[in-house]
Amino acid sequence: MAGFIVKRMLQAIFATLIVTLLVSYAIRLTGDPALMLTQGAGSITEADLARIREALGVNRPFLVQYFEFLRGMVTFDFGKSFLGGTSVGLLIKGALPSTLVLAFWSMLVSIMISIPLGITAAVHRNKMVDQVIRVFSLVGLSFPNFWLAIMLVLVFSITWNLLPPSGMVGSLSYIMPSVTMGIILTATNVRLVRTTMLETLNAQYIMVARAKGLSERKVLYKHALRNCAIPLITYLGLQFGGLLGGIVVIERVFNWPGMGTLAFDAVGARDYPVLQATIMVLSLMIILVNLAVDIIYGLVDPRIRTE
Amino acid sequence: MNKFLKTTAAVAVMAIASMGMATSQSMAEGKLSVSVALDPGSWDPIDTFLVAWGAVGSNIFDGLTERDTNAKLHPGLATSWEVLDEGVRIRFKLREGVKFHNGEPFNAEAVKFTFDRLLGEIGAKGPQRANYTSVESVEIIDDYTVDFHLTQPDPVLLTKLAGYGAMIVPPKYITEKGEDYFNTHPVGTGPFSFVSYEPKVDLELKANPDYWGDVAKVSELEYRFISELTTAVAELQAGRLDIVEDLPISMLSVVKDDAKLDVVSTAGPTVYGLRFNTRDGITANKDVRKAIVMAVDRSTIIKSLLAGEAEEIASFQSSLSFGYDPELKPLPYNPEEAKKLLKAAGVAPGTEIQIDIRAGKPTFNEVVQAVGAYLQTVGLKAVIKPYENSVFLNDIVPQGKTGALFQQSWGGWTLDYDNTAYLLYHTGQKWNPYGTDAKLDAMLEEQRPMTDVAKREELLKNIAAYVADEALEMPLYGLKAIYGVNKRLEGFVPAPDNRVKLNTVSIKQ
């Protein structure tokens, strides 16, 4: 197990390096931060721009800048934002918890909806209930997530004035972003739960469980669901990564002060240090979650543990 | 959750604090909430050019001069000034009895400190210094008199002193607390003082009861950073924001249809137009350029596509700009005349004409579609080519790789035509990839050092008339500064440049 974890960690570090290298290089192709900073200026000369570039340190060769970023990473010094010189570490410290909390609630909403729905659909396979659930999940898959967000805001904030339309201000403000994200995830999760459940229900041990007279409830939730867990956990783990990506859009619509908003503003301002660090932290998160999924496997399934 | 508790605690503390304030000061009541599109990250005046900074900073800091909502200059922290030695020395008399929010006195020393800092090592790292390079040094004459020594006459300097970089900062505070602390805990002499700042979330201010001008009529002022305008408008509709600036044309009807909200607008500094490639192709011919301008009905575009929230322009400046000539009229809409001119110039019907624009600007995109349709009516086939923003600004325009027409928008904050004209028309300038007109160059150079205001204005008007006569561009419109405002506000005056001073605003009970 230890060797396995070390190997995966090394892979993770390598993947992070590749991701940050690509992002750092790509953002530098899209424009000059000195120009962005002086956009509102009346009379800016080349000499002024050169002076600002030097102050920002972007006049040096790309690899020098990149290695400095890596060095900072090792010492947990992410540098300073080009916008106002705020410490990047501080910005991430403020934004990361907000994003994680939102991701957590979104996953929870999705699990709470998709497991009962998926099981119901599987049990009533090809009946009316199943068809309705499948149509709804298809609809859920098809519409864009920001559209759902805007509709929720229109109904719950503007028409009924029940929930704050944006920001992270009190527990009520968590509802719409997590529900939006949660519903988007639910669409695929319902289908996944339904399919794995169907496979499991055909297994012989289910027949045995039923034959020995267990209640249907016990059969479903004790025997069948536990055996569905492995594909579900794998999928949810991978989904968490995708979730962190999708959250950028949702965060922007709900003005959620998280990593997505941070990255979005950083792209707009060509704020290299903030963007590099945000992407690095997000990719590390995704890699770590995948690692965690592998480890949890062993805990859930004794067969893997003994191998 | 921790953050939630912290916010709740902060709100509770503030609520208690404001209750205390309400008893001592019955005038100031209520809390104003305003959206700001981007968190500038630092509240230090010399760190930024972002309009987001200006919107907020103008309520915390003051300059020696001040510009009102009609873009006219007024005394600010200086009560009067005198231009001496043929424009290379300006003597300012300073306002007495003014204190910074931390209690530090405002005096000649503060002015000298501000400019030494701006023009010294710290200012060199930031973008603002570029605007003040004509200042050589500031000399203290007595506690309330300073002399500005200039390297050369700078007729725009008095306007620039109302700009971000020249906001007066407290010497003792910055020296004691350090630069980094000042960035996130600003102290100035303005109508509102700092309470708290949470990066990317909000900035809270409170009324400054000792303000030298009109003391604020609300006790609290909150700026919330909301980058998505749709979200800001939703907050406005939900009654959780009082003011949203820079409303996009596409959202005007949403705000107008809401009984609780108003759309308030005023002439703005930003102008839009299409410039010509005067070097190659059919647009090298002046008559063809004139024909193209005359083929487009600009007033209909303003009425139907811009909801009337724009003004027609004859030169590349808004009506607020120094050098604006109300007598100068744009070329009339006259498709018949345009056809004649095109025919005389030997342009065959069906000739293709390429218009380069920046992608992702929905309103301007619609305008250009309309322009294309108008050109069709005089027999030109318009091809619209969108570019990604930075490609357009770095590789296409400055390199002279545009089609026959290309988009230009310009929002000179100094509202002085020199700032626009010199950079757009002088030979060799970055934004002038095609023109090499010695006569125009001479005129542009001549007005720069002039200290005679009237003479300089006359010359600027001549430059605008010359450019219009040469038809170097198709001036389209000057967009108004548009605000969405909750009707519960009283005394809101829209500012052309986002720098709305909120001390005049009160909340109707």
Side-chain angles (χ1 to χ4, degrees), chain B residues 27-142:
Chain B
M27 285 297 285
E29 263 176 56
K31 175 172 178 172
L32 266 182
S33 292
V34 183
S35 75
V36 170
L38 187 65
D39 179 358
S42 161
W43 301 104
D44 186 335
I46 62 178
D47 281 350
T48 185
F49 267 112
L50 297 171
V51 288
W53 188 94
V56 178
S58 310
N59 286 292
I60 304 177
F61 297 97
D62 294 304
L64 292 179
T65 61
E66 205 174 79
R67 207 161 59 174
D68 68 13
T69 48
N70 296 316
K72 293 278 165 290
L73 271 188
H74 292 284
L77 287 176
T79 50
S80 64
W81 50 84
E82 232 181 316
V83 180
L84 304 162
D85 301 349
E86 283 165 351
V88 293
R89 184 160 67 96
I90 308 179
R91 170 163 291 189
F92 290 92
K93 283 275 172 210
L94 305 180
R95 201 173 286 277
E96 297 185 25
V98 176
K99 278 192 165 63
F100 286 98
H101 300 145
N102 64 337
E104 216 178 310
F106 161 76
N107 51 28
E109 197 206 330
V111 177
K112 182 167 169 53
F113 176 82
T114 298
F115 284 90
D116 285 354
R117 183 168 170 269
L118 172 67
L119 302 167
E121 212 179 295
I122 293 149
K125 291 184 203 152
Q128 277 289 340
R129 191 177 85 160
N131 272 329
Y132 303 93
T133 40
S134 62
V135 180
E136 192 174 42
S137 64
V138 174
E139 186 190 350
I140 299 177
I141 304 300
D142 62 47

Side-chain angles (χ1 to χ4, degrees), chain A residues 32-52:
Chain A
D32 181 354
L35 267 185
M36 300 303 288
L37 281 177
T38 52
Q39 247 182 3
S43 45
I44 208 93
T45 61
E46 251 333 291
D48 294 319
L49 288 176
R51 187 168 47 72
I52 294 165

